[in-house]
Amino acid sequence: MVKAVTDFVQAHNRLKRHYEATGLTFTLDGKLVGDLAEVIAAELYGLALCECRTPGVDGYAADGRSVQVKATGLPRKGPAFTPGEGIADHLIFLRLDFANANGTVAYNGPEAPIRNLLPVGFVGTKRVPFSKVLTADASVAPADRLIRVD
């Protein structure tokens, strides 16, 4: 195997072992970005991740609020939702820049205002436009944000 691929696989295996107790699998077939986002948000905001996967809820804040974590590694793409997901009290949406090994929190606030931007009765997967997410984030009151613990 090519050394860069071997290094990646070994790092992937270390990541899985480190977070084994969370039930996250970091599969390389599409769940990886979401699982990475969950552990990043957990570290940033002190979330207790769900040990059993719960639709629409990835963890709980110290104050008891349920939290859903969404992320994208694509520039200017908003969070994607499906109609069958549960609804959390709070949403953290991360924009991950894998090329530069960093990211930003694009939204930290109640989930309802973002869900209200989705079309009524939609089917399949729908994304909320990134620009609308940023606008919504700008209007979140400080008391409605999760506080970073790092």
Side-chain angles (χ1 to χ4, degrees):
M1 205 180 295
V2 176
K3 181 173 178 358
V5 173
T6 301
D7 292 346
F8 175 75
V9 170
Q10 290 171 345
H12 177 251
N13 288 335
R14 283 193 306 275
L15 184 68
K16 289 190 307 186
R17 282 191 302 274
H18 183 80
Y19 290 104
E20 187 173 32
T22 68
L24 298 171
T25 58
F26 300 95
T27 58
L28 300 176
D29 63 355
K31 280 187 66 292
L32 182 60
V33 171
D35 286 355
L36 288 171
E38 286 184 38
V39 298
I40 290 167
E43 297 285 331
L44 289 176
Y45 298 103
L47 304 180
L49 295 175
C50 295
E51 291 184 19
C52 281
R53 300 289 84 197
T54 305
V57 175
D58 297 314
Y60 291 88
D63 64 7
R65 281 182 278 184
S66 60
V67 179
Q68 179 163 194
V69 179
K70 297 274 188 185
T72 186
L74 302 171
R76 314 227 26 98
K77 294 287 186 182
F81 293 88
T82 59
E85 295 177 359
I87 298 174
D89 299 319
H90 200 85
L91 175 68
I92 297 292
F93 176 58
L94 304 174
R95 165 45 181 101
L96 302 176
D97 179 356
F98 292 109
N100 294 299
N102 64 36
T104 57
V105 178
Y107 185 82
N108 172 3
E111 184 172 3
I114 299 300
R115 283 202 173 258
N116 290 340
L117 297 170
L118 293 163
V120 176
F122 73 95
V123 294
T125 300
K126 294 288 182 203
R127 284 188 183 273
V128 175
F130 188 70
S131 61
K132 290 185 178 185
V133 171
L134 295 179
T135 300
D137 184 70
S139 69
V140 175
D144 290 335
R145 295 186 185 277
L146 292 181
I147 296 173
R148 288 176 68 144
V149 297
D150 62 344

